[in-house]
Amino acid sequence: MSAATRSGRSRRAPDKLCVEAVELARAAAEETALPGTVGEHIEAVAEGDRVVTHYFACLQPAYRGWRWATTVARASRAKVVTLDESVLLPGPDSLLAPEWVPWSERLRPGDLGPGDLLPTDADDLRLEPGFSGEDTPPPNSAVSEEAATAAAEAEAPPEQAPEDVTPAPSRGSVKAVAEELGMGRARVLSRYGLQEAADRWEESHGPRTAMAQAAPGPCVSCAFLVPLAGSLKQGFGVCANEFSPADGRVVSLAFGCGGHSEAAVMPKAPQPPAPVLDETRNDELSLAD
Ligand code: SF4
């Protein structure tokens, strides 16, 4: 009989003989439990026709709130109550282990250490197929045959070019275009993956952070900002100011800090004038005795 069945409350009237079999149930519980750990009888619950579970308090300190549950049963028209089973079950107030969570959901940023491997799902939403050079890209893709042909035509030498001039090798090929766009990988970031990254960076180094609110200017006008490539460059860059707390981080163009290159330009120290040599008169020097 399952624990779920045991913990449920039946509306049936419990069988009288089964309810009276408290000592039989207690003996079974004591046989299963450690000596002296079966406490007082708590209740008798009908599980079905002529099937009753007796609950006893568990006195083990480590199992506070748990209960010994012994199920007894009686055959139809029989006068004898027999033992079914005896187990330890959690009660309504017992301390339980939290629900198990798979490691992939427990993982947090920063958990990955040197030598660790973090597998990605084959259907990871953050990723989508890239272009390896062997497959055919979709017709509307930036590396489609049409786009590659157009690129090749643009790269092709003029018709009147001398014959001994060798045209540039395969710059317009689909594979070359894919590599130039950074798509020559088995998988690339999907739109969802890009959006997730942008949200994260916006939160950590975006215009709503305290640092940005107090900054003298936004990163977009700072000389220390290194632009990104791809669609993310519209909103983000990398800070390259070693004195900024965001050095080496991806920052929103609307982020900012006190290290902004144009916030306070130090004036150059004034140069002392060149020494003047007066050659028109002599200085009299007193000689020592
Ligand atoms: S120094 Fe400050 S303002 Fe300039 S790019 Fe870095 S974070 Fe932005």
Side-chain angles (χ1 to χ4, degrees), residues 190-278:
S190 65
R191 173 103 356 234
Y192 174 76
L194 286 168
Q195 187 65 53
E196 252 204 339
D199 288 348
R200 232 175 22 248
W201 297 337
E202 187 82 8
E203 196 173 317
S204 61
H205 292 93
R208 285 190 291 277
T209 55
M211 179 69 80
Q213 304 265 331
C219 294
V220 68
S221 57
C222 177
F224 293 112
L225 185 82
V226 180
L228 289 183
S231 58
L232 284 173
K233 75 175 176 192
Q234 297 167 35
F236 299 94
V238 176
C239 174
N241 182 350
E242 67 171 315
F243 300 111
S244 166
D247 180 37
R249 305 294 182 101
V250 178
V251 292
S252 159
L253 298 185
F255 183 67
C257 77
H260 192 292
S261 61
E262 313 309 319
V265 182
M266 296 251 289
K268 273 190 175 174
Q271 293 291 318
V276 178
L277 189 59
D278 184 0

Side-chain angles (χ1 to χ4, degrees), residues 141-159:
S141 146
V143 291
S144 65
E145 207 63 58
E146 290 80 6
T149 310
E153 281 170 5
E155 294 287 331
E159 279 181 11

